[in-house]
Amino acid sequence: MLFICLGANDARLPSNSDSATLEQYKNNMRAIISLLRDPASEYYSPKTRILVITPPPVGELLVQSYIPSSVDNPIVFNNRTRLFAEMAKRVAREAGVPSIDLYSEVENRVREGQTTGKWSSTYDGYERYLIDGVHLNNGGNMLLYKLILTKFKAVWPEMLPKSLPY
């Protein structure tokens, strides 16, 4: 089992040393999948299950609270991260690999909370899923866990804990 969950740092603005262009990101994702799927690869493993997970959205106000200098000097924007999430889904689809759209799952929950007035917060609700505006916190990890289980039920039911021999 291989989970490929890249993009949160790659989507940083080009002025950051650890950022990537969308083309580099796409090529890197393809290369990782190819390592296990290409018979010519020394890491060829046709039985290994691969799951691509998009990066989560960015809570820009949370990022600014953790990195105050980013108020005047932004390091990442949610709209750029969305492009990386879309590319991750595209690469997975082209490779015939299942994916989880963590970006949309978090965005939809945050929007629902904002729209219904379910919660009000300084950080627009992103703090329910992200610790620093980029990386998952306990709530984000719990959501991802549930999404992984749902995906397993749909794609690999034989891999669910109740299906495995003990």
Side-chain angles (χ1 to χ4, degrees), residues 147-163:
L147 294 171
I148 289 170
L149 280 183
T150 299
K151 186 60 74 172
F152 271 48
K153 287 177 186 173
V155 180
W156 303 302
E158 72 280 4
M159 293 297 293
L160 290 171
K162 68 180 183 181
S163 302

Side-chain angles (χ1 to χ4, degrees), residues 1 7 22 25 31 39 48-49 68 72 105 112 114 126 130 143 163:
M1 174 63 55
L22 202 53
Y25 177 74
T48 298
R49 292 166 173 91
D72 297 324
E105 292 288 344
E112 178 188 338
Q114 293 169 345
Y126 289 99
L130 305 169
L143 172 60
S163 302

Side-chain angles (χ1 to χ4, degrees), residues 25-90:
Y25 177 74
K26 175 181 74 174
N27 292 337
N28 290 342
M29 294 283 287
R30 286 178 174 165
I32 292 168
I33 294 170
S34 180
L35 283 173
L36 296 174
R37 291 294 185 252
D38 182 355
S41 169
E42 69 179 289
Y43 303 104
Y44 178 61
S45 180
K47 292 183 180 180
T48 298
R49 292 166 173 91
I50 300 173
L51 178 63
V52 171
I53 302 169
T54 70
V58 173
E60 293 175 13
L61 294 175
L62 265 173
V63 171
Q64 292 172 4
S65 74
Y66 274 81
I67 307 172
S69 63
S70 69
V71 172
D72 297 324
N73 232 348
I75 59 170
V76 65
F77 287 116
N78 198 25
N79 60 357
R80 180 171 161 82
T81 302
R82 179 182 46 78
L83 298 175
F84 281 72
E86 290 171 0
M87 183 58 73
K89 291 186 302 185
R90 179 175 147 200

Side-chain angles (χ1 to χ4, degrees), residues 109-121 128-129:
R109 284 165 175 75
V110 167
R111 257 189 254 116
E112 178 188 338
Q114 293 169 345
T115 303
T116 62
K118 200 187 255 185
W119 63 73
S120 62
S121 74
R128 293 182 174 269
Y129 305 99

